[in-house]
Amino acid sequence: MYGVVLATVLINAVVCDDLLAVVVIYRHGDRTPIQPYPTDPYRNASYWPVGFGQLTNVSYTLLGKMQHYLLGKWLRDRYASFLSPHYSEKDFYLRSTDADRTLMSAEANLAGLYPPHADQIWDPAIPWQPIPIHTMPELEDNLLSMKKNCPKYNLLITQLFKTPYFVNISHKNHDLYAYLTKNSGTLIASLESLEYLYNTMFIETLYNLTLPDWARVVYPSKLKPWADLSFATPCWTQDLARLKTGPLFHEIVEHFTNATKNVTGFLKFRAYSAHDITIANVLNTMGAFQVHGPPYASTIMLELRRGAGEYVNIFYKNSSIVQNITAKGCDFNCKFDDFVSLLRPIVISRDEWNLECQLEWYYYYHLDDLQYVIYASAGLSFVVFTLSIWMVWRCCKRMPKGGVTAYTQLPSDEVA
């Protein structure tokens, strides 16, 4: 797993004179549980203000819709001298995963980022304007939601969990998994399934709901460390990161490259509305993930600047605190060329991703170098042996009985 370099600072606004381009990636706001567990005393929808997995109001705790509205206003203040208050499709682009909570978070965020001004006011009684949000079905999305099926990734993650480190975790948690399975009524046999259960309990305590006695024995102390660790696994290795966040970083690098070249039609500000796992994966890919569950509305900001040359600054806002993020192998003021070089093994276009995700035959057989040599030699020997037999058979077929060559009349021979 990659290393971590973080420094905490308070930042409310930035100097935008040298800014060329910005990428913002944020998690949605407060939501209800996605799917309560079978024995959950609060599995009845009547306990919740909205349906399961939906964005909430709860503005009194600055969560949900209000949380993202305020984040939008914060982004407006931060980039006041860079991003015009007058919305233009030539400056700004926003993409969201195809989930209600991320789409609604994006809408609330835009309400704070782009309140209508002057000729964009279409109804004085409504301080809001419609702004496009781009998305695509989750199961077809290999850019942001990353839920499009990738057989190669599936194989690599399966292999990861068979390594001694993760096998040891499973052994260590055997009794905990069994306890959770018995009491929750659902199979808990992995870090991912444990995190889902932990997240449900977290939301219920956030809403001041009393957990069952069996849950209070293990929540939060015995569950949180493993739930946090689950966020590091999707991009644990470089190969996994390439297939999980490669297309997104391809788009980010292309965006910044266009800014350095001042490409016609370049949009200087791109925003992405996504999930906690997206935040974790992006940080982990850059070698800057401090193991934790990214909170609601946590935000990554990548800023391309021009000084003596182009360089990239990265920030992470996981609460009211904004942290400087230093990508592994680079300074905080990361030269753009170095930034591109560091990501080169990860970056992959969406079309390349589609090809690379397909499993070739050799991925089904886990052979070491010696085994490959042995099998290749055996295969070559078989081909040579088969070819030799065929050549002998052809020669014998042309040989007449008795071994004497027969006379064959040519077309020009005269008949006596």
Side-chain angles (χ1 to χ4, degrees), residues 337-399:
D337 289 342
D338 293 341
F339 180 76
V340 173
S341 296
L342 289 171
L343 291 173
R344 187 167 288 118
I346 300 296
V347 167
I348 181 174
S349 71
R350 296 173 69 184
D351 289 339
E352 290 170 336
W353 184 94
N354 284 325
L355 292 174
E356 195 166 310
C357 274
Q358 303 311 308
L359 282 175
E360 301 293 345
W361 67 269
Y362 46 83
Y363 283 111
Y364 288 103
Y365 304 97
H366 314 312
L367 309 176
D368 58 30
D369 292 341
L370 178 59
Q371 288 174 315
Y372 275 120
V373 171
I374 292 173
Y375 281 107
S377 299
L380 181 60
S381 298
F382 176 78
V383 171
V384 171
F385 176 76
T386 303
L387 183 59
S388 300
I389 294 296
W390 178 79
M391 292 177 67
V392 170
W393 176 79
R394 289 284 295 175
C395 289
C396 290
K397 185 177 180 181
R398 293 181 178 182
M399 185 73 69

Side-chain angles (χ1 to χ4, degrees), residues 138 141-148 243-247 353:
E138 285 188 323
D141 186 359
N142 64 351
L143 176 71
L144 194 55
S145 75
M146 295 307 297
K147 290 187 177 181
K148 186 174 182 179
L243 295 173
K244 183 59 70 172
T245 59
W353 184 94

